Amino acid sequence: MSVNWAERVSSWSRSPSLLLSGSSELLLAELLREIRDDRATFAVKILLLTPLCEHPSLLCSSESLGEETALELMSVFAQCPSKNVQFRCHLLLALTSVLICTSCVSHRSSASLDFLVLLLQVSQDPSDINGDAALRSLRATACDCLRELEACCPGLLSQRLELLARLRQQETSRLHQAYAGLQILVLRNAVYRLTQEAGAGAEHLKALLGGNAAAEWEAEQNSELTATVKDSAILSSLILGPMGTVPTLQTGADCKELRSVLSSLLDESYLLTPLCQAGLLRRVTEVVAMVPGVPPAIFRTHLLRLLGTCEVCLLHATLLMKCMFTDSLFSSEDEAFILKRLIMLSQHPLLSTPEKLFYMDCILHFPENRPISCGEDSLPVQLTQQLALPLSPTVFNDSATMLARLNLLSLVCLEEGEQEEGDGEGAKSLGVSYLCDQVASLLRIVENDCSREIVVPSFRAAFLFLSHFHHMEVYTSSLSKQLCRLYLRHPRLAPHLINLADQTQDRLPESSWAVRFLSALQAVITGAFIAQLTPQDLACHLKILTRVAEEGNISQSNTLNFLSGVTILPSPPSSSLRLNGDWCLGSKILGVCRRLLIHPSLDSLIIPLADILQHLAHCYGDTDIQDHARLYYSLLTTLSREKLAGVLVQGPMETGQQVKKQSLSCLMADSEGLRSALTVHQTVMAIIRLNEAPSEPQDTQGANVDQEEVEELTLDTYRSQFSDPSFASEIILRYQLTHINGHDPRFDQIFSIRLHFLLTDDHYEELCDISVPCLFKDRPPPTVQLRLKPRQPCPTTLHASAIFTTQDGLSWHTALPDVHVAFRQTFLPLPGTPPYGRGSRLSVFEGLWEEIHSGGIDGTNSLFCCQLKEAALNTLVDKHFFPFLVSESPHKEDFKVIFFLPPNSHMLLKVRPEEDAALFHIATDNWWLLPHINSYLLTITNSH
C-alpha cells in the first residue's frame, strides 16, 4: 500500500494529539475505508484498529458518530471469514471501546443493543467444542468485552444471570474462569441495584436469579439506570469498613437460590488462578454483606485453605472478609492464628521486601473482632512485645524493612508501657533500650560510611525513635550526645541534623528535645579549636549556628565568641583557616549576624556584634561583604530593636509558610525606571495585524504566448525534478503589517518588530520568526513574506505574536489576530526550470489525467456541477483559473486547468459548459484534498 500505516499508527500512539491536528471525521472515514478494503491484509487491518481501541473519543467526537462507526465495524465483523480469529477479536475490542467511550452503552443506543446480542451469541458458540484454541480465544474476548460493558454500565446484564450461570457450568476449558468472574460481577451489580430500589425484597431477588429476558431495555429499566456513572464509582469498592456502611437488601431467611449460586461459585473457586480467586472472593463478600439473609458461615469451609495460603492477594481477600464480618465468621482462635501468620510472613526469608512490608502494614491495620481504638496506627490487642520480638529491627535489614520494624516495635513498646504504667519505667525499658541501641548502631555505621544510602535511613530511624519516645529523656539525651559526636567527625552532615531538628520541632511541638539538641551542637562547635578548623568545616559550623540563632531560648554569647575568634582574632601560623575574602564564608558569617540582629537577647549582644560587623566592614577582603556588613552595622546602631525586627523579620503568609527571603539589595532604594526598562510589558489588546497584500498584476501575455519547446516533456521527466526535496517546496504569501484602528497613540511608531508564528496543526513545517525594522502609522505599511513549507496542502490558521520597542525604550509583547491561510493560497503554477510552455504543461496534464483515471497512481476523481451560464463561466475562468490554464484555446469545448500544490500534489480540472449549467470534472493525486476542492469550487461559483 502506498500509505505507510505502521509509521502513522506508531506516531499516533506516541502523540495522540496528532489525531486532533486535522479533521477527525476524515481520518475516521479513511480508517474505515481501509478496514473494509479487501485488498488490505488482515495484519494491516488489525493495525488500523489500534487508534479506535486506544483513542475512540478523539476519532468519534459525538454519540451519533460513535454509533455509525460501531455499525460499520459490526458489518465488517459479519462479513469477515470465521478463520480470521485474531482480526475478529480485535474488532470486538474496538467495538467495545467505541461504544463505551461515546456513551452509546450508557444511553442504550440501538447499536449497543445489537452489539450485546452479538457478544452473547459469540459467547455461546459451541464451535470450539473439539478443542480449537483459536476459536476459544474469540469466546474469551467476547467474555472480556461483556465484563467491560458490565463494569462501565452496572446492571446491563442483570437479566442474563441464568444464562451466565449455565455457561459457567457447561464450560470445561480455561474459559470457566472468565465466565465465573463475569457471573459474580453481574450478580454483585444486580444485588446492589436492588438495594437502591424502594420495596425490593426476596421476590425481586428470586426473579432476578431466574430471569433470562430478552436483551432489550424497557422504559422503566432505562429510568433506573440513569445514574450509571455514579453507581460504577460506588461499586468500585463496597467494602468500606464494618457491616452497616454497606447498603442492604432485606430478604428475610428465604435466600436459598442466592445461597446456592454463591456456594457453587465458592466450591469451584479453587480452580481459578489466585488473582481471579481473590476477585471472586471480594465480590462474594460484598454480596453476602448486602444480603443479611445469607449468613457469613457460607465461607467457613474455605477458611482453612485461605488462612494457610501464601498468596498475597488471597490473604488480602481474607482480611477484607474479616474486616466485614468480624466475629460472625472469625473466632478469637482464628484471629490469633492470622496474627501469628502475618508475623511469620513478615520475616520469611523467601519473600521479597515489598511482600514483607505489606504484611507488616496488615499488622498495623489489623481488623480486630472487637477493636478498642480506631486510630491510624492502632495495634491489635493480642500483639504483645513477646509475640512481636521476631520482628525486632537489625542493622542487617534493608532500609525499608528496618524502618517498618522500628515503627512497629516502637508502637508495641508504647502500648505495653501504657498498660503497665503503674510499674514505672522499668516495665518497658527493655524494649526501648534495645531500639535505642539499634539507632545508635546505625549512627556508628554512619561514622565509617557517609554515603546517602546509609545516612538517610539512619536519620529517619532517629526521627522515628524521637517521635515515639521523645518524652523519655534518658534515651533522647543519649541520642543527642551521639549525634553531636557524629557531627564533630563529619561536619558535612549539618543539613541532615538541621532537618532532624526542624522536623522534630514541627511534628512534636510539645517536645523540647530540638532546643536542647541545638544547644548541645552550639556547645561542641564553639568549644572546638579554631586553629584546627578547615574552611569546609567552618561553612558547616556557620550553618548550624545560623539555625541555633533562630531559637530565642538559647544564649548566643558562645556564638559571638566563636565569630570573634574567626573574624577578629589573628589565626595561629599553623592554622589552615584563611578567610582571604572568601565571599561564601563571608555571606554565611553575615547570615549568623542577621539572625542575631533579631534575637530576643540582642541588648546583651550589641557590643560584640557591633565589633564583628565593624571589623568585617573595614577589613574583610570582599567588597560586597563589606557593604552588607556596613549596612547591618548602620541598622544595628541607628534603629531600635522593634524597628530592626520590622525591617528584617519575614512575615508569614496566609498558609503559614514563610515568604521567600529578601535579598539585601531589596533594602536599598529601587529604581522604578530600571525595573520597567528590564521588563517586557504586555499590551491589553492587539495593536497591529497582518492583512493579505494585494495580488500583483498578472502577465497576461506571458500566460498566453507559447514558449519555444526544446524537446517534448514527458511525465517522468517532470517528476524527476522532485528528487530534490527543496524543489518547489515553499509557498510564499505576502502580507502587509498595519496598525489596528483605535489603538493607543504610544504605539504610533514602533521599532525592532519580531513576529513569531505558532502552528495549529501539523500540515506545515515550523515557521521562522520575521524581523521588521519599524512601523509608522503615517507611512505606507511594510510588506512581509511568509514562507510556508506544506506537509499537506490544506487550509490552516496561524497564531501570531510580536515583540517590539517603543520610542520611550520600553519593550512590549502583543498578540496579533490569527492569520488564516485559505486553500486557494496554496495554488502554484506547474513548476519547472525554465518555466514550461503551454505545450509542456498540456502534456503533463494529459499524462496525470490518464494515470489517475486508469488507477496507475493512488488518486481519485470527482464531479462538481453548478448552474452557470457560458458567459459567467468564461468570466470565472479568466478571474480564477487564468494563470493555471493549459487549454490550447479558450474557444475549445472545455477548459483544462492544472494546479500544483506543494510539496507534490496536483489538482486537475476539465471545465465544460452545458445548457444553463457547468460541469467541473476533478482529478487529483491526493484524495485528502477533495473536501477542500469542493468547498473552493462552491465558494467561487456562488460569487458569479
Side-chain angles (χ1 to χ4, degrees):
M1 300 177 68
S2 61
V3 179
N4 190 348
W5 285 110
E7 183 178 343
R8 291 183 67 183
V9 173
S10 177
S11 65
W12 292 334
S13 299
R14 291 192 303 267
S15 179
S17 61
L18 294 177
L19 294 171
L20 301 173
S21 59
S23 174
S24 60
E25 294 186 12
L26 286 177
L27 178 58
L28 178 62
E30 184 182 6
L31 290 174
L32 294 177
R33 181 172 68 90
E34 293 294 336
I35 291 172
R36 289 193 303 266
D37 193 348
D38 294 335
R39 296 174 297 176
T41 64
F42 285 102
V44 171
K45 292 183 179 183
I46 290 174
L47 187 67
L48 295 176
L49 289 173
T50 303
L52 287 170
C53 292
E54 295 180 351
H55 311 290
S57 56
L58 296 181
L59 292 171
C60 305
S61 55
S62 64
E63 182 180 344
S64 60
L65 191 58
E67 188 166 3
E68 292 174 5
T69 304
L71 291 174
E72 287 280 352
L73 294 178
M74 281 191 282
S75 174
V76 174
F77 183 89
Q79 298 171 10
C80 178
S82 58
K83 63 180 181 180
N84 297 310
V85 177
Q86 189 178 8
F87 177 57
R88 287 160 67 89
C89 290
H90 282 81
L91 275 173
L92 294 180
L93 295 175
L95 278 162
T96 304
S97 299
V98 169
L99 289 172
I100 290 176
C101 294
T102 57
S103 303
C104 290
V105 176
S106 58
H107 293 162
R108 306 301 189 263
S109 67
S110 59
S112 58
L113 170 60
D114 295 340
F115 182 56
L116 182 61
V117 173
L118 175 63
L119 289 177
L120 292 172
Q121 289 174 352
V122 173
S123 301
Q124 301 174 71
D125 187 4
S127 302
D128 63 342
I129 195 170
N130 296 323
D132 191 341
L135 294 176
R136 191 179 304 141
S137 65
L138 183 63
R139 287 204 295 139
T141 303
C143 188
D144 291 340
C145 293
L146 286 171
R147 186 171 65 248
E148 191 69 21
L149 291 172
E150 176 66 25
C152 295
C153 191
L156 181 65
L157 297 171
S158 59
Q159 300 299 320
R160 294 289 183 172
L161 277 170
E162 187 180 18
L163 171 62
L164 297 176
R166 187 169 69 250
L167 290 175
R168 175 183 62 84
Q169 293 166 357
Q170 293 174 353
E171 189 59 49
T172 57
S173 68
R174 61 182 177 83
L175 288 182
H176 176 273
Q177 175 171 279
Y179 285 128
L182 176 60
Q183 182 187 358
I184 188 58
L185 173 65
V186 175
L187 179 59
R188 189 276 304 264
N189 292 346
V191 171
Y192 174 78
R193 298 209 64 80
L194 285 180
T195 63
Q196 305 303 302
E197 296 180 7
E203 297 79 8
H204 299 82
L205 180 61
K206 188 179 298 184
L208 194 67
L209 294 173
N212 189 17
E216 59 183 82
W217 294 285
E218 292 138 1
E220 59 271 15
Q221 194 174 14
N222 277 335
S223 62
E224 292 172 3
L225 295 173
T226 53
T228 299
V229 176
K230 179 182 177 182
D231 289 345
S232 60
I234 296 174
L235 285 169
S236 61
S237 179
L238 283 174
I239 304 178
L240 303 177
M243 291 182 65
T245 60
V246 177
T248 57
L249 178 66
Q250 301 302 325
T251 60
D254 187 17
C255 286
K256 292 185 293 183
E257 293 82 2
L258 179 60
R259 198 178 314 169
S260 174
V261 172
L262 296 179
S263 297
S264 175
L265 287 167
L266 289 173
D267 291 342
E268 297 173 1
S269 63
Y270 74 94
L271 298 171
L272 311 182
T273 61
L275 196 60
C276 293
Q277 196 176 155
L280 184 140
L281 289 172
R282 180 187 180 95
R283 292 191 174 104
V284 172
T285 301
E286 292 172 343
V287 172
V288 174
M290 288 188 289
V291 185
V294 179
I298 194 174
F299 296 100
R300 175 63 65 181
T301 56
H302 306 276
L303 278 187
L304 182 61
R305 173 171 60 89
L306 294 175
L307 293 178
T309 184
C310 61
E311 297 289 344
V312 173
C313 55
L314 290 179
L315 186 59
H316 184 255
T318 306
L319 292 174
L320 287 176
M321 283 194 290
K322 190 175 188 317
C323 176
M324 184 65 70
F325 303 120
T326 62
D327 56 357
S328 60
L329 178 60
F330 295 86
S331 63
S332 57
E333 291 79 10
D334 295 333
E335 187 174 66
F337 177 80
I338 296 174
L339 189 58
K340 291 178 181 178
R341 183 161 179 77
L342 287 173
I343 294 174
M344 184 271 294
L345 292 172
S346 299
Q347 55 177 323
H348 200 288
L350 297 181
L351 295 180
S352 63
T353 298
E355 289 176 307
K356 295 177 184 179
L357 294 176
F358 168 75
Y359 292 128
M360 276 190 278
D361 192 69
C362 290
I363 296 173
L364 278 177
H365 304 88
F366 188 75
E368 295 183 273
N369 286 348
R370 300 183 182 277
I372 296 177
S373 60
C374 56
E376 183 179 351
D377 288 336
S378 54
L379 294 176
V381 176
Q382 297 188 34
L383 183 63
T384 61
Q385 187 172 336
Q386 187 67 28
L387 190 61
L389 193 60
L391 294 181
S392 300
T394 68
V395 295
F396 301 106
N397 298 132
D398 61 272
S399 59
T401 303
M402 181 270 297
L403 292 172
R405 288 188 174 193
L406 177 63
N407 182 50
L408 182 64
L409 266 292
S410 299
L411 291 171
V412 171
C413 291
L414 285 176
E415 289 286 340
E416 293 204 352
E418 291 176 1
Q419 294 173 6
E420 303 176 11
E421 196 170 317
D423 297 337
E425 291 283 335
K428 57 180 176 179
S429 61
L430 183 61
V432 179
S433 177
Y434 173 80
L435 295 178
C436 185
D437 290 343
Q438 289 300 313
V439 175
S441 299
L442 291 171
L443 295 178
R444 283 194 292 271
I445 294 175
V446 174
E447 291 183 7
N448 300 312
D449 184 2
C450 271
S451 64
R452 177 179 173 79
E453 292 75 14
I454 301 297
V455 170
V456 173
S458 300
F459 275 89
R460 286 179 176 174
F463 175 74
L464 270 177
F465 183 84
L466 288 169
S467 63
H468 292 300
F469 306 111
H470 59 89
H471 56 285
M472 302 177 68
E473 294 190 12
V474 176
Y475 300 107
T476 56
S477 299
S478 173
L479 181 61
S480 298
K481 293 177 182 177
Q482 187 167 9
L483 288 171
C484 290
R485 288 196 302 270
L486 177 63
Y487 173 72
L488 282 180
R489 184 163 182 175
H490 299 289
R492 64 178 178 274
L493 295 177
H496 295 279
L497 295 168
I498 293 173
N499 183 54
L500 177 63
D502 290 342
Q503 294 299 321
T504 305
Q505 204 167 41
D506 292 342
R507 303 291 180 89
L508 306 169
E510 71 280 0
S511 173
S512 61
W513 178 84
V515 175
R516 297 198 307 271
F517 173 59
L518 290 172
S519 180
L521 281 176
Q522 182 198 42
V524 299
I525 290 173
T526 56
F529 291 104
I530 296 178
Q532 298 177 356
L533 288 179
T534 64
Q536 293 78 15
D537 293 344
L538 177 60
C540 297
H541 291 345
L542 292 173
K543 287 181 182 178
I544 295 290
L545 293 178
T546 301
R547 176 63 182 88
V548 171
E550 295 180 13
E551 299 297 331
N553 297 328
I554 299 179
S555 173
Q556 302 298 320
S557 56
N558 290 337
T559 299
L560 283 174
N561 293 335
F562 179 80
L563 292 180
S564 298
V566 170
T567 57
I568 300 177
L569 299 179
S571 300
S574 59
S575 175
S576 61
L577 181 61
R578 296 286 188 274
L579 297 182
N580 295 328
D582 187 292
W583 184 89
C584 291
L585 286 177
S587 63
K588 287 181 171 59
I589 294 173
L590 286 177
V592 181
C593 296
R594 188 178 192 279
R595 291 292 180 183
L596 294 176
L597 285 172
I598 56 177
H599 197 272
S601 60
L602 177 62
D603 292 342
S604 62
L605 307 174
I606 289 181
I607 295 178
L609 181 57
D611 291 341
I612 294 171
L613 291 173
Q614 193 172 31
H615 180 82
L616 291 174
H618 289 86
C619 303
Y620 202 81
D622 185 88
T623 305
D624 185 56
I625 300 300
Q626 289 181 354
D627 291 341
H628 291 160
R630 191 175 297 109
L631 170 65
Y632 282 156
Y633 182 81
S634 301
L635 294 174
L636 176 65
T637 55
T638 57
L639 297 180
S640 64
R641 192 173 67 177
E642 291 77 12
K643 291 183 179 179
L644 192 61
V647 171
L648 297 177
V649 172
Q650 295 132 10
M653 295 191 304
E654 294 181 1
T655 58
Q657 300 287 337
Q658 281 194 335
V659 297
K660 63 181 181 180
K661 295 181 180 179
Q662 284 184 314
S663 63
L664 291 174
S665 60
C666 291
L667 300 175
M668 303 296 187
D670 194 284
S671 172
E672 193 68 30
L674 178 62
R675 184 163 53 189
S676 297
L678 296 177
T679 303
V680 177
H681 305 272
Q682 179 69 44
T683 61
V684 178
M685 59 185 66
I687 62 168
I688 55 177
R689 66 180 302 155
L690 287 171
N691 294 323
E692 188 175 354
S695 58
E696 296 178 351
Q698 299 177 356
D699 186 3
T700 56
Q701 294 182 353
N704 288 310
V705 175
D706 290 340
Q707 296 184 8
E708 181 181 354
E709 304 293 340
V710 178
E711 60 181 7
E712 184 180 355
L713 179 66
T714 64
L715 196 56
D716 291 337
T717 305
Y718 168 72
R719 284 180 174 151
S720 64
Q721 303 173 105
F722 294 98
S723 59
D724 181 6
S726 62
F727 175 74
S729 62
E730 284 188 342
I731 300 171
I732 300 177
L733 303 180
R734 299 173 66 254
Y735 289 89
Q736 289 183 341
L737 185 64
T738 62
H739 282 94
I740 295 178
N741 292 332
H743 73 283
D744 194 319
R746 289 179 297 172
F747 306 118
D748 284 347
Q749 296 182 357
I750 58 178
F751 306 88
S752 302
I753 308 163
R754 187 76 170 176
L755 298 173
H756 180 70
F757 301 92
L758 290 177
L759 300 174
T760 57
D761 51 48
D762 64 342
H763 294 154
Y764 293 84
E765 301 284 350
E766 294 289 338
L767 277 76
C768 298
D769 291 352
I770 298 176
S771 296
V772 180
C774 60
L775 174 63
F776 295 168
K777 187 177 181 182
D778 54 354
R779 293 184 186 178
T783 300
V784 298
Q785 291 185 342
L786 294 186
R787 295 182 175 271
L788 298 179
K789 288 188 176 182
R791 295 176 181 147
Q792 188 74 271
C794 296
T796 188
T797 299
L798 305 176
H799 295 323
S801 61
I803 292 180
F804 58 88
T805 304
T806 52
Q807 280 185 301
D808 55 6
L810 299 182
S811 297
W812 291 83
H813 176 271
T814 185
L816 278 68
D818 290 344
V819 179
H820 301 283
V821 179
F823 182 55
R824 61 175 175 78
Q825 293 178 277
T826 64
F827 299 166
L828 293 178
L830 212 59
T833 306
Y836 297 137
R838 186 184 301 278
S840 297
R841 287 182 284 152
L842 183 59
S843 177
V844 174
F845 179 94
E846 297 294 351
L848 283 173
W849 186 274
E850 179 62 28
E851 279 197 354
I852 294 172
H853 279 75
S854 64
I857 58 176
D858 188 14
T860 186
N861 55 80
S862 183
L863 178 65
F864 178 86
C865 303
C866 65
Q867 290 186 347
L868 208 62
K869 294 184 179 181
E870 185 173 355
L873 179 61
N874 291 333
T875 303
L876 181 144
V877 170
D878 289 339
K879 180 177 180 182
H880 299 284
F881 298 160
F882 188 79
F884 315 100
L885 200 62
V886 297
S887 301
E888 295 181 359
S889 172
H891 302 294
K892 295 286 185 180
E893 61 181 7
D894 58 8
F895 300 95
K896 296 178 181 179
V897 187
I898 183 168
F899 302 88
F900 172 71
L901 296 88
N904 52 13
S905 300
H906 299 82
M907 180 176 78
L908 286 71
L909 299 178
K910 282 187 178 180
V911 186
R912 176 176 301 172
E914 297 290 345
E915 186 177 354
D916 294 332
L919 300 182
F920 293 76
H921 295 273
I922 307 168
T924 178
D925 52 5
N926 186 348
W927 73 270
W928 275 73
L929 302 179
L930 275 181
H932 306 301
I933 296 173
N934 181 76
S935 178
Y936 168 69
L937 293 177
L938 193 62
T939 301
I940 63 175
T941 54
N942 286 340
S943 62
H944 287 272

